Amino acid sequence: MHIIISLAKWLLTLHQLVWFVVGGLICSSIAYFYMKLKQDNKINKLNFTSILLSACTFSFTILWTYDSYVENEVRAANMGLLVFGGLAVVFAILGYRFTQKNDVSKVEIKH
């Protein structure tokens, strides 16, 4: 019983809770974008990879900034927001640009 309680205390402290929430955020965002692109028939390997990299980089940006502020490293937090946040935006723009409609234009031929 003591092991279960100590595990619950470890999991529910603020630091581990933030990592747990961001892990859930990244998994749910990847699943959402996959289902949305699959539903609209716009999915291909290139845009899904870009969106995946964007979601991972964005969550890394959140965690980098949070950990830097916890450790009272404000410059590192600002640098992480600038570098990794910018990289996440670049990946998101690339993912958006690689999203193309797979609709074939229909031409009616009358005989």
Side-chain angles (χ1 to χ4, degrees):
M1 187 69 179
H2 179 70
I3 294 173
I4 295 172
I5 292 173
S6 63
L7 182 63
K9 283 182 183 179
W10 176 79
L11 182 64
L12 297 177
T13 58
L14 182 62
H15 189 71
Q16 281 79 17
L17 185 63
V18 169
W19 281 80
F20 184 72
V21 168
V22 171
L25 175 73
I26 190 171
C27 288
S28 62
S29 65
I30 289 170
Y32 171 76
F33 284 119
Y34 178 77
M35 289 188 308
K36 184 69 174 167
L37 289 172
K38 189 81 166 173
Q39 178 185 8
D40 294 342
N41 197 21
K42 295 180 181 179
I43 194 165
N44 59 29
K45 290 180 184 177
L46 194 57
N47 70 353
F48 185 69
T49 304
S50 298
I51 290 171
L52 179 77
L53 286 172
S54 175
C56 291
T57 310
F58 181 70
S59 65
F60 181 75
T61 303
I62 291 171
L63 292 173
W64 177 287
T65 305
Y66 172 74
D67 281 344
S68 295
Y69 278 125
V70 165
E71 294 174 0
N72 202 15
E73 304 254 348
V74 179
R75 286 186 182 175
N78 293 336
M79 186 266 314
L81 279 174
L82 183 65
V83 173
F84 300 122
L87 190 61
V89 169
V90 167
F91 283 139
I93 290 171
L94 286 176
Y96 178 74
R97 297 285 290 170
F98 292 143
T99 302
Q100 298 175 357
K101 291 184 179 180
N102 291 334
D103 297 335
V104 178
S105 60
K106 298 178 182 177
V107 178
E108 292 184 23
I109 300 175
K110 294 183 180 181
H111 296 297

